[in-house]
Amino acid sequence: TGICMAVDTTIGASRMTVAVIDFETTGSSPGQGARATEIAVVRVERGRIVDRWSSLMNSGAWVPPFIQALTGISNEMLASAPPAEQVMRDASRFIDGCPLVAHNAAFDRAFWAAEMQRAGGSPEQQHPPFVCTVRLSRRLFPQAPNHRLGTLAAWHGLPDAGRAHRALADATTTAHLLVR
């Protein structure tokens, strides 16, 4: 398999390759019919960001006006985006077996599993190991004002990665937080 599976995790996270992911979606839960509209992956190797990948994804779902205002992702943008199944297969190849990291991982894990299942991914592809930076930050930085990504980024003085609630910007900010 990929390089990520060959990494000795006993030597610590600073020596491990992980894939930080973020989804933008039409709602809060795939169990309630929400679908992914965008995914981004940022590979972190030995404590450094080494690669980035992102794509809009056309799942055929309608994006409500509130979500369009929040993310800037419109139904028109998604009409010409690649099919969600293709995007998920591409994301899986880019991740290459790495453990996944997300801010509020329960959210991203649910969308990863649902979209990967629709794309025909194996059970291993549908349910990779996940690490949650919200949980990590609560343990490591209990004195933080709160554990929202934007608050933590400002509190730590992390680099500005772009518009919040876009997958690549949020995945990049989460990667910087993880490295911190």
Side-chain angles (χ1 to χ4, degrees):
T1 8
I3 186 173
C4 300
M5 299 308 271
V7 173
D8 179 358
T9 59
T10 62
I11 59 176
S14 66
R15 311 282 281 164
M16 183 177 190
T17 301
V18 297
V20 179
I21 70 164
D22 187 76
F23 279 101
E24 299 306 324
T25 67
T26 62
S28 61
S29 169
Q32 297 175 344
R35 295 292 305 271
T37 57
E38 184 177 42
I39 183 174
V41 182
V42 176
R43 286 178 61 107
V44 177
E45 199 172 288
R46 295 187 179 102
R48 291 178 13 135
I49 294 171
V50 296
D51 207 354
R52 295 175 173 94
W53 176 88
S54 68
S55 181
L56 292 170
M57 50 199 305
N58 186 344
S59 64
W62 178 74
V63 182
F66 165 76
I67 300 293
Q68 288 185 50
L70 179 69
T71 65
I73 298 171
S74 68
N75 290 300
E76 294 77 23
M77 292 166 67
L78 297 179
S80 60
E85 295 80 8
Q86 174 191 330
V87 171
M88 289 305 295
R89 288 190 294 271
D90 292 346
S92 183
R93 278 191 292 279
F94 187 79
I95 286 167
D96 193 27
C98 291
L100 303 184
V101 176
H103 199 73
N104 188 15
F107 175 86
D108 293 283
R109 181 186 308 122
F111 279 96
W112 178 270
E115 296 295 345
M116 188 55 70
Q117 181 179 28
R118 284 187 173 97
S122 70
E124 294 79 22
Q125 290 172 312
Q126 292 175 38
H127 304 287
F130 261 88
V131 172
C132 181
T133 55
V134 170
R135 287 184 172 195
L136 287 172
S137 70
R138 284 183 180 145
R139 287 190 180 194
L140 297 173
F141 308 110
Q143 69 278 24
N146 63 55
H147 298 278
R148 292 189 301 256
L149 186 58
T151 302
L152 290 168
W155 193 68
H156 285 292
L158 301 178
D160 182 1
R163 180 187 176 148
H165 301 293
R166 285 305 299 261
L168 187 56
D170 288 352
T172 301
T173 299
T174 302
H176 285 294
L177 179 61
L178 178 68
V179 168
R180 166 71 68 174

